[in-house]
Amino acid sequence: MLIDSHAHLDSHRYNDDREAMLRRALEAGVGAVLSIGIGEGPAEMHLARDLGRQFNGKPGMPRLYASAGIYPHSTTEADQAALVKLDQLLADPDVIACGEIGLDYFHEGAAHDVQRDGLIRQLEIAAARKKPIVIHCRPKDGTADAWDDLFLVLEEFWGRTALGGIMHCFGGGWEQARRSLDLGFLISFAGNITYPKAQPLRDVAAQVPRDSVLVETDAPWLAPAANRGKRNEPAMVVHTAQVLAELLGVGADEIAASTTQNFYRLFPRISAYGET
Ligand SMILES: [Zn+2]
């Protein structure tokens, strides 16, 4: 069994075939999906959780877990009402993580200090609710600016919680991978490791210890090389797992087993229920 540790199942791009898409995931061997609850902004943070309520328990579907969080460029909307809503969502046992949150200096949008403040407020809420975090970090091309700022924040506000988290769609170098591992994070690789030009990223992936890796789709974006440019979906995580297995020199079964084990280790409350 594989776990897709990051998919935007609430995307309107699945409105016509969401249930069939989830069935294809289970048929491909994807037993669980972490459904990311950022929507198009805080007003839609609950949609991922609601999808779990809609589909969990139906036969032929992967188990859905949810996150909730305010995306870096939505932090302009991180007012008191939004933060209260986030806190209430994180109190729900099916909302297992806070995210995706972080810093994005690649796209135009929220000012850096607004993103940073929004991140810190959310770290405080996640710490109080004892939920690991899902981090989105994207620097300006050719720099590590967002990473440098991110690590300063995480070292000050998150490291001591020992709750850890996931570096989602990891795209940094070895230095950023090492600092993430030092903070107790798992490193999640997406379909971009399958792209022809991604050799530097594959070189980093090959060095990450097997007990610290996850795989994800970031669906509907970032389809693996075989389907690049098309709509992505959780079933495609199989391709990313295959490339990662080759890089680490192990079988696909072993990657499935270790990424699943790593996921449940990060979320001990759900593994306590033996849900696989
Ligand atoms: Zn995402």
Side-chain angles (χ1 to χ4, degrees):
M1 173 188 122
L2 276 165
I3 295 181
D4 179 356
S5 74
H6 193 112
H8 297 266
L9 301 180
D10 59 345
S11 166
H12 65 87
R13 294 173 71 186
Y14 300 121
N15 283 356
D16 292 335
D17 68 340
R18 190 169 284 108
E19 183 160 343
M21 175 272 291
L22 290 170
R23 289 184 190 285
R24 284 196 291 277
L26 189 68
E27 279 161 20
V30 179
V33 180
L34 177 52
S35 170
I36 299 298
I38 54 168
E40 297 283 327
E44 297 185 345
M45 263 190 294
H46 60 287
L47 292 182
R49 190 271 314 266
D50 289 0
L51 285 176
R53 289 183 172 175
Q54 184 182 349
F55 291 115
N56 281 332
K58 282 197 180 188
M61 313 285 266
R63 178 69 166 87
L64 303 185
Y65 299 107
S67 73
I70 303 168
Y71 188 72
H73 288 303
S74 300
T75 50
T76 47
E77 299 170 59
D79 56 15
Q80 195 54 31
L83 294 172
V84 167
K85 178 175 177 174
L86 174 64
D87 181 57
Q88 286 167 351
L89 282 167
L90 292 184
D92 185 326
D94 258 353
V95 181
I96 63 172
C98 178
E100 53 185 291
I101 60 176
L103 300 174
D104 186 312
Y105 296 173
F106 180 81
H107 298 98
E108 281 296 313
H112 295 183
D113 60 326
V114 173
Q115 293 190 38
R116 185 177 171 281
D117 287 349
L119 171 61
I120 292 170
R121 292 289 86 75
Q122 294 185 85
L123 293 178
E124 289 166 349
I125 294 167
R129 290 292 180 190
K130 298 197 164 27
K131 301 280 163 111
I133 54 177
V134 177
I135 289 287
H136 167 106
C137 184
R138 185 135 186 221
K140 267 203 299 285
D141 265 346
T143 80
D145 54 2
W147 284 113
D148 293 340
D149 289 358
L150 176 74
F151 285 122
L152 287 178
V153 170
L154 292 181
E155 280 156 11
E156 183 174 353
F157 295 93
W158 192 250
R160 67 187 140 78
T161 69
L163 289 164
I166 300 171
M167 288 298 175
H168 131 72
C169 190
F170 186 78
W174 177 247
E175 165 73 9
Q176 287 76 36
R178 188 190 55 73
R179 291 180 79 176
S180 303
L181 295 169
D182 287 348
L183 281 161
F185 277 73
L186 300 179
I187 298 186
S188 184
F189 292 100
N192 53 344
I193 65 164
T194 68
Y195 296 168
K197 283 185 182 161
Q199 194 55 46
L201 185 57
R202 282 190 288 275
D203 292 342
V204 173
Q207 289 185 69
V208 176
R210 219 194 314 159
D211 64 1
S212 297
V213 291
L214 294 175
V215 285
E216 64 171 77
T217 54
D218 202 15
W221 298 288
L222 273 177
N227 289 281
R228 195 165 181 181
K230 299 197 191 132
R231 188 188 75 171
N232 198 2
E233 61 178 59
M236 308 268 181
V237 80
V238 173
H239 298 288
T240 299
Q242 182 61 43
V243 167
L244 191 62
E246 285 160 20
L247 287 170
L248 297 179
V250 297
D253 286 3
E254 255 177 278
I255 280 300
S258 44
T259 52
T260 296
Q261 218 171 48
N262 297 342
F263 185 86
Y264 283 115
R265 200 179 60 242
L266 179 64
F267 300 110
R269 291 195 209 180
I270 56 175
S271 46
Y273 296 109
E275 292 177 357
T276 55

Coordinates of all heavy atoms in Angstrom, one line a residue, residues 7-79:
A7 N -2.5 15.8 -1.5 CA -3.3 16.0 -2.7 C -4.4 17.0 -2.3 O -4.9 17.1 -1.2 CB -3.9 14.7 -3.1
H8 N -4.8 17.8 -3.3 CA -5.9 18.8 -3.2 C -7.1 18.2 -3.8 O -7.5 18.6 -4.9 CB -5.5 20.1 -3.9 CG -4.2 20.7 -3.3 ND1 -4.3 21.7 -2.3 CD2 -2.9 20.5 -3.4 CE1 -3.1 22.1 -1.9 NE2 -2.2 21.3 -2.6
L9 N -7.7 17.3 -3.0 CA -8.9 16.6 -3.5 C -10.1 17.5 -3.6 O -11.1 17.1 -4.3 CB -9.2 15.4 -2.5 CG -8.1 14.4 -2.4 CD1 -8.6 13.3 -1.4 CD2 -7.7 13.8 -3.7
D10 N -10.1 18.7 -2.9 CA -11.2 19.6 -3.0 C -11.2 20.5 -4.3 O -12.1 21.2 -4.5 CB -11.3 20.5 -1.8 CG -10.0 21.3 -1.6 OD1 -9.0 21.0 -2.2 OD2 -10.1 22.3 -0.8
S11 N -10.2 20.3 -5.1 CA -10.0 21.1 -6.3 C -11.3 20.9 -7.2 O -11.8 19.8 -7.4 CB -8.8 20.7 -7.1 OG -8.9 21.2 -8.4
H12 N -11.7 22.0 -7.7 CA -12.9 22.0 -8.6 C -12.6 21.1 -9.8 O -13.6 20.7 -10.5 CB -13.3 23.4 -9.1 CG -12.3 24.1 -9.9 ND1 -12.3 23.9 -11.3 CD2 -11.2 24.8 -9.6 CE1 -11.2 24.6 -11.8 NE2 -10.6 25.2 -10.8
R13 N -11.4 20.8 -10.1 CA -11.0 20.0 -11.3 C -11.5 18.6 -11.1 O -11.4 17.8 -12.0 CB -9.5 20.1 -11.6 CG -9.2 21.5 -12.0 CD -7.7 21.7 -12.1 NE -7.1 21.0 -13.3 CZ -5.8 20.9 -13.5 NH1 -5.0 21.5 -12.7 NH2 -5.4 20.3 -14.6
Y14 N -11.9 18.2 -9.9 CA -12.4 16.8 -9.7 C -13.9 16.8 -9.5 O -14.5 15.8 -9.2 CB -11.8 16.2 -8.4 CG -10.3 16.1 -8.4 CD1 -9.5 16.8 -7.5 CD2 -9.7 15.4 -9.4 CE1 -8.1 16.7 -7.5 CE2 -8.3 15.3 -9.5 CZ -7.5 15.9 -8.5 OH -6.1 15.8 -8.6
N15 N -14.6 18.0 -9.7 CA -16.0 18.0 -9.5 C -16.8 17.0 -10.3 O -17.8 16.5 -9.8 CB -16.5 19.4 -9.7 CG -16.2 20.4 -8.6 OD1 -15.6 20.0 -7.6 ND2 -16.5 21.7 -8.7
D16 N -16.3 16.7 -11.5 CA -17.1 15.8 -12.3 C -16.9 14.3 -12.0 O -17.6 13.5 -12.5 CB -16.9 16.1 -13.8 CG -17.4 17.4 -14.2 OD1 -18.4 17.9 -13.5 OD2 -16.9 18.1 -15.1
D17 N -15.7 14.0 -11.4 CA -15.4 12.5 -11.3 C -14.6 12.2 -10.0 O -13.8 11.3 -10.0 CB -14.5 12.1 -12.5 CG -13.2 12.7 -12.5 OD1 -12.9 13.8 -11.8 OD2 -12.2 12.2 -13.2
R18 N -14.9 12.9 -8.9 CA -14.1 12.8 -7.7 C -14.2 11.3 -7.2 O -13.2 10.8 -6.8 CB -14.6 13.8 -6.6 CG -13.7 13.8 -5.4 CD -14.0 15.0 -4.5 NE -13.6 16.3 -5.0 CZ -14.4 17.2 -5.5 NH1 -15.7 17.1 -5.6 NH2 -13.9 18.3 -6.0
E19 N -15.4 10.8 -7.1 CA -15.5 9.4 -6.6 C -14.8 8.4 -7.5 O -14.0 7.5 -7.0 CB -17.0 9.0 -6.4 CG -17.1 7.7 -5.8 CD -18.5 7.5 -5.2 OE1 -19.3 8.5 -4.9 OE2 -18.8 6.3 -4.9
A20 N -14.9 8.5 -8.8 CA -14.2 7.6 -9.7 C -12.7 7.8 -9.6 O -11.9 6.8 -9.6 CB -14.7 7.8 -11.1
M21 N -12.2 9.0 -9.4 CA -10.8 9.3 -9.3 C -10.3 8.6 -8.0 O -9.2 8.1 -8.0 CB -10.6 10.8 -9.2 CG -9.3 11.4 -9.0 SD -8.9 11.6 -7.2 CE -10.0 12.9 -6.8
L22 N -11.0 8.7 -6.9 CA -10.6 8.1 -5.7 C -10.6 6.5 -5.8 O -9.7 5.9 -5.3 CB -11.5 8.5 -4.5 CG -11.3 10.0 -4.1 CD1 -12.4 10.4 -3.1 CD2 -9.9 10.2 -3.5
R23 N -11.5 6.0 -6.5 CA -11.5 4.5 -6.8 C -10.3 4.1 -7.5 O -9.7 3.1 -7.3 CB -12.8 4.1 -7.5 CG -14.0 4.2 -6.6 CD -15.3 3.7 -7.3 NE -16.4 4.0 -6.5 CZ -16.8 3.3 -5.4 NH1 -16.0 2.3 -5.0 NH2 -17.8 3.7 -4.7
R24 N -9.9 4.9 -8.5 CA -8.7 4.6 -9.3 C -7.5 4.6 -8.4 O -6.6 3.8 -8.6 CB -8.5 5.7 -10.4 CG -9.4 5.5 -11.6 CD -8.9 6.3 -12.8 NE -9.0 7.7 -12.6 CZ -10.1 8.5 -12.9 NH1 -11.2 7.9 -13.2 NH2 -10.1 9.8 -12.7
A25 N -7.5 5.5 -7.4 CA -6.4 5.5 -6.4 C -6.2 4.2 -5.7 O -5.2 3.6 -5.7 CB -6.5 6.7 -5.5
L26 N -7.3 3.7 -5.1 CA -7.3 2.5 -4.4 C -6.9 1.3 -5.3 O -6.1 0.4 -5.0 CB -8.6 2.1 -3.7 CG -8.5 1.0 -2.7 CD1 -7.6 1.3 -1.5 CD2 -9.9 0.5 -2.2
E27 N -7.4 1.3 -6.5 CA -7.1 0.3 -7.5 C -5.6 0.3 -7.8 O -5.0 -0.8 -8.1 CB -7.9 0.4 -8.8 CG -9.3 -0.1 -8.7 CD -10.2 0.4 -9.8 OE1 -9.8 0.9 -10.8 OE2 -11.5 0.3 -9.5
A28 N -5.0 1.5 -7.8 CA -3.5 1.6 -8.1 C -2.7 1.2 -6.8 O -1.5 1.2 -6.9 CB -3.2 3.0 -8.6
G29 N -3.4 1.0 -5.7 CA -2.6 0.6 -4.5 C -2.4 1.7 -3.5 O -1.6 1.6 -2.6
V30 N -3.1 2.8 -3.7 CA -3.0 3.9 -2.8 C -4.1 3.8 -1.7 O -5.3 3.9 -2.0 CB -3.2 5.3 -3.6 CG1 -3.1 6.5 -2.6 CG2 -2.1 5.4 -4.6
G31 N -3.7 3.4 -0.5 CA -4.6 3.1 0.6 C -5.1 4.3 1.4 O -6.1 4.2 2.1
A32 N -4.3 5.4 1.3 CA -4.7 6.6 2.1 C -4.2 7.8 1.4 O -3.2 7.8 0.7 CB -4.2 6.5 3.5
V33 N -4.9 8.9 1.6 CA -4.5 10.2 1.0 C -4.6 11.2 2.1 O -5.6 11.3 2.8 CB -5.4 10.6 -0.2 CG1 -5.0 11.9 -0.8 CG2 -5.4 9.5 -1.2
L34 N -3.6 12.1 2.2 CA -3.8 13.3 3.1 C -4.3 14.4 2.2 O -3.6 14.9 1.3 CB -2.4 13.7 3.7 CG -2.4 14.9 4.6 CD1 -3.6 14.9 5.6 CD2 -1.1 15.1 5.3
S35 N -5.5 14.8 2.4 CA -6.2 15.7 1.6 C -6.0 17.1 2.2 O -6.3 17.4 3.4 CB -7.7 15.3 1.7 OG -8.6 16.2 1.2
I36 N -5.4 18.0 1.4 CA -4.9 19.3 2.0 C -6.0 20.3 2.0 O -6.6 20.6 1.0 CB -3.7 19.8 1.1 CG1 -2.5 18.7 1.2 CG2 -3.2 21.1 1.6 CD1 -1.9 18.5 2.5
G37 N -6.2 20.9 3.2 CA -7.3 21.8 3.4 C -6.9 23.3 3.4 O -6.9 23.9 4.4
I38 N -6.6 23.8 2.2 CA -6.3 25.2 2.1 C -7.4 25.9 1.2 O -7.6 27.1 1.3 CB -4.9 25.6 1.6 CG1 -4.7 24.9 0.2 CG2 -3.9 25.2 2.6 CD1 -3.4 25.4 -0.5
G39 N -8.1 25.1 0.4 CA -9.0 25.7 -0.5 C -8.5 26.9 -1.3 O -7.3 26.9 -1.6
E40 N -9.3 27.8 -1.6 CA -8.8 29.0 -2.3 C -8.6 30.1 -1.3 O -8.5 31.3 -1.6 CB -9.9 29.5 -3.3 CG -10.1 28.5 -4.5 CD -9.0 28.6 -5.5 OE1 -8.4 29.6 -5.7 OE2 -8.7 27.5 -6.1
G41 N -8.6 29.7 0.0 CA -8.4 30.7 1.1 C -9.1 30.2 2.3 O -9.8 29.1 2.3
P42 N -9.0 30.9 3.5 CA -9.5 30.4 4.8 C -11.0 30.0 4.7 O -11.4 29.1 5.4 CB -9.2 31.5 5.7 CG -8.1 32.3 5.1 CD -8.3 32.1 3.6
A43 N -11.8 30.7 3.9 CA -13.2 30.4 3.8 C -13.4 28.9 3.4 O -14.5 28.3 3.6 CB -13.9 31.3 2.9
E44 N -12.4 28.3 2.7 CA -12.6 26.9 2.2 C -11.7 25.9 2.9 O -11.6 24.8 2.5 CB -12.3 26.9 0.7 CG -13.3 27.8 -0.1 CD -13.1 27.7 -1.6 OE1 -12.0 27.2 -2.0 OE2 -14.0 28.1 -2.3
M45 N -11.1 26.3 4.1 CA -10.2 25.4 4.8 C -10.9 24.1 5.3 O -10.2 23.1 5.5 CB -9.8 26.1 6.1 CG -8.4 26.8 6.0 SD -7.9 27.3 7.7 CE -9.0 28.5 8.2
H46 N -12.2 24.1 5.4 CA -12.9 22.9 5.9 C -13.2 21.9 4.8 O -13.7 20.8 5.1 CB -14.2 23.4 6.6 CG -15.1 24.1 5.6 ND1 -14.9 25.3 5.1 CD2 -16.2 23.6 4.9 CE1 -15.8 25.7 4.3 NE2 -16.6 24.7 4.1
L47 N -13.0 22.2 3.6 CA -13.5 21.4 2.5 C -12.8 20.0 2.5 O -13.5 19.0 2.2 CB -13.3 22.1 1.1 CG -14.2 23.3 0.9 CD1 -13.9 23.9 -0.5 CD2 -15.7 23.0 1.1
A48 N -11.5 20.0 2.8 CA -10.8 18.7 2.8 C -11.4 17.8 3.9 O -11.6 16.6 3.7 CB -9.3 18.9 3.0
R49 N -11.6 18.4 5.0 CA -12.2 17.6 6.1 C -13.6 17.1 5.7 O -14.0 15.9 6.0 CB -12.3 18.5 7.4 CG -12.7 17.8 8.7 CD -14.2 17.7 8.9 NE -14.9 18.9 8.7 CZ -15.2 19.8 9.6 NH1 -14.8 19.7 10.9 NH2 -15.9 20.9 9.3
D50 N -14.4 17.9 5.1 CA -15.7 17.5 4.6 C -15.7 16.3 3.6 O -16.6 15.5 3.6 CB -16.5 18.7 4.1 CG -16.9 19.7 5.1 OD1 -16.5 19.4 6.3 OD2 -17.5 20.7 4.8
L51 N -14.7 16.3 2.8 CA -14.5 15.2 1.8 C -14.3 13.9 2.6 O -14.9 12.8 2.2 CB -13.4 15.4 0.9 CG -13.6 16.5 -0.2 CD1 -12.4 16.7 -1.0 CD2 -14.8 16.0 -1.1
G52 N -13.6 13.9 3.6 CA -13.4 12.7 4.5 C -14.7 12.2 5.0 O -15.1 11.0 5.0
R53 N -15.5 13.2 5.5 CA -16.8 12.8 6.0 C -17.7 12.2 5.0 O -18.6 11.4 5.2 CB -17.5 14.1 6.6 CG -16.8 14.5 7.9 CD -17.6 15.7 8.5 NE -17.0 16.0 9.8 CZ -17.4 17.1 10.5 NH1 -18.4 17.9 10.0 NH2 -16.9 17.3 11.7
Q54 N -17.6 12.7 3.7 CA -18.4 12.3 2.6 C -18.0 10.8 2.2 O -18.9 10.0 1.9 CB -18.3 13.2 1.5 CG -19.1 12.9 0.3 CD -18.9 13.9 -0.9 OE1 -18.2 14.9 -0.7 NE2 -19.4 13.6 -2.0
F55 N -16.7 10.6 2.1 CA -16.3 9.3 1.5 C -15.7 8.2 2.4 O -15.8 7.1 2.1 CB -15.2 9.6 0.4 CG -15.7 10.4 -0.8 CD1 -15.2 11.7 -1.0 CD2 -16.6 9.8 -1.6 CE1 -15.7 12.4 -2.1 CE2 -17.1 10.5 -2.7 CZ -16.6 11.8 -3.0
N56 N -15.3 8.6 3.6 CA -14.7 7.5 4.5 C -15.8 6.5 4.9 O -16.9 6.9 5.2 CB -14.0 8.2 5.7 CG -12.7 8.7 5.4 OD1 -12.0 8.2 4.5 ND2 -12.2 9.7 6.1
G57 N -15.4 5.3 4.8 CA -16.4 4.2 5.1 C -17.0 3.6 3.9 O -17.6 2.5 4.0
K58 N -16.9 4.3 2.8 CA -17.5 3.7 1.5 C -16.5 2.7 1.0 O -15.3 3.0 1.0 CB -17.6 4.8 0.5 CG -18.8 5.7 0.6 CD -19.1 6.4 -0.7 CE -20.3 7.3 -0.6 NZ -20.7 7.9 -1.9
P59 N -17.0 1.5 0.6 CA -16.0 0.5 0.1 C -15.4 1.0 -1.2 O -16.0 1.8 -2.0 CB -16.9 -0.7 -0.2 CG -18.3 -0.2 -0.2 CD -18.4 1.1 0.6
G60 N -14.1 0.5 -1.4 CA -13.4 0.8 -2.7 C -12.8 2.1 -2.7 O -12.3 2.6 -3.8
M61 N -12.7 2.8 -1.6 CA -12.1 4.1 -1.5 C -10.9 4.1 -0.6 O -10.9 3.4 0.4 CB -13.0 5.2 -1.0 CG -14.4 5.1 -1.5 SD -14.4 5.8 -3.2 CE -14.9 7.4 -2.8
P62 N -9.8 4.9 -0.9 CA -8.7 5.1 0.1 C -9.2 5.8 1.3 O -10.2 6.5 1.2 CB -7.7 5.9 -0.7 CG -8.5 6.6 -1.8 CD -9.7 5.8 -2.1
R63 N -8.6 5.6 2.4 CA -8.9 6.3 3.7 C -8.4 7.7 3.5 O -7.3 8.0 3.0 CB -8.1 5.7 4.8 CG -8.3 6.4 6.2 CD -9.7 6.2 6.7 NE -9.9 6.6 8.1 CZ -10.1 7.8 8.5 NH1 -10.2 8.8 7.7 NH2 -10.3 8.0 9.8
L64 N -9.3 8.7 3.7 CA -8.9 10.1 3.6 C -8.6 10.7 4.9 O -9.5 10.6 5.8 CB -10.0 10.9 2.9 CG -10.5 10.4 1.5 CD1 -11.5 11.4 0.9 CD2 -9.3 10.2 0.6
Y65 N -7.5 11.4 5.1 CA -7.2 12.2 6.2 C -7.2 13.6 5.7 O -6.9 13.9 4.5 CB -5.8 11.8 6.8 CG -5.8 10.4 7.3 CD1 -5.1 9.4 6.6 CD2 -6.5 10.1 8.5 CE1 -5.0 8.1 7.1 CE2 -6.4 8.7 8.9 CZ -5.7 7.8 8.2 OH -5.7 6.5 8.7
A66 N -7.3 14.6 6.6 CA -7.3 16.0 6.1 C -6.3 16.8 6.9 O -5.9 16.5 8.0 CB -8.7 16.5 6.3
S67 N -5.9 17.9 6.3 CA -5.2 19.0 7.0 C -6.1 20.2 6.9 O -7.1 20.3 6.2 CB -3.8 19.2 6.3 OG -4.0 19.9 5.1
A68 N -5.6 21.3 7.6 CA -6.2 22.6 7.4 C -5.1 23.6 7.7 O -4.3 23.4 8.6 CB -7.4 22.8 8.4
G69 N -5.2 24.7 6.9 CA -4.2 25.7 7.0 C -4.4 26.8 6.1 O -5.2 26.8 5.2
I70 N -3.6 27.9 6.3 CA -3.7 29.1 5.4 C -2.4 29.2 4.6 O -1.3 29.3 5.2 CB -3.9 30.3 6.3 CG1 -5.2 30.2 7.2 CG2 -4.0 31.6 5.4 CD1 -5.3 31.2 8.2
Y71 N -2.6 29.0 3.3 CA -1.5 29.0 2.3 C -0.7 30.3 2.4 O -1.3 31.4 2.7 CB -2.1 28.8 0.9 CG -1.1 28.6 -0.2 CD1 -0.4 27.4 -0.3 CD2 -0.9 29.6 -1.1 CE1 0.5 27.2 -1.3 CE2 0.0 29.4 -2.2 CZ 0.7 28.1 -2.3 OH 1.5 28.0 -3.3
P72 N 0.6 30.3 2.2 CA 1.4 31.5 2.3 C 0.8 32.8 1.7 O 0.7 33.8 2.3 CB 2.7 31.2 1.7 CG 2.9 29.7 1.8 CD 1.5 29.2 1.8
H73 N 0.3 32.6 0.4 CA -0.3 33.8 -0.2 C -1.7 34.1 0.2 O -2.3 35.1 -0.2 CB -0.2 33.7 -1.7 CG 1.2 33.8 -2.2 ND1 2.0 35.0 -1.9 CD2 2.1 33.0 -2.9 CE1 3.2 34.8 -2.4 NE2 3.3 33.6 -3.0
S74 N -2.3 33.3 1.1 CA -3.6 33.6 1.6 C -3.5 34.2 3.0 O -4.5 34.5 3.7 CB -4.5 32.3 1.7 OG -4.7 31.8 0.5
T75 N -2.2 34.4 3.5 CA -2.1 35.0 4.9 C -2.6 36.4 5.0 O -2.8 36.9 6.1 CB -0.6 34.9 5.3 OG1 0.2 35.5 4.3 CG2 -0.2 33.5 5.6
T76 N -2.8 37.1 3.9 CA -3.4 38.4 3.9 C -4.9 38.3 4.5 O -5.4 39.3 5.0 CB -3.5 39.0 2.5 OG1 -4.0 38.0 1.6 CG2 -2.2 39.5 2.0
E77 N -5.4 37.1 4.5 CA -6.8 36.8 5.0 C -6.7 36.1 6.4 O -7.8 35.6 6.8 CB -7.6 35.9 4.0 CG -7.8 36.5 2.7 CD -8.3 35.5 1.7 OE1 -9.4 34.9 2.0 OE2 -7.7 35.2 0.7
A78 N -5.5 36.0 7.0 CA -5.4 35.3 8.2 C -5.8 36.2 9.4 O -5.0 36.5 10.3 CB -4.0 34.8 8.4
D79 N -7.1 36.6 9.4 CA -7.6 37.5 10.5 C -8.0 36.6 11.7 O -7.9 35.4 11.6 CB -8.7 38.4 10.0 CG -9.9 37.5 9.4 OD1 -9.9 36.3 9.6 OD2 -10.7 38.1 8.7

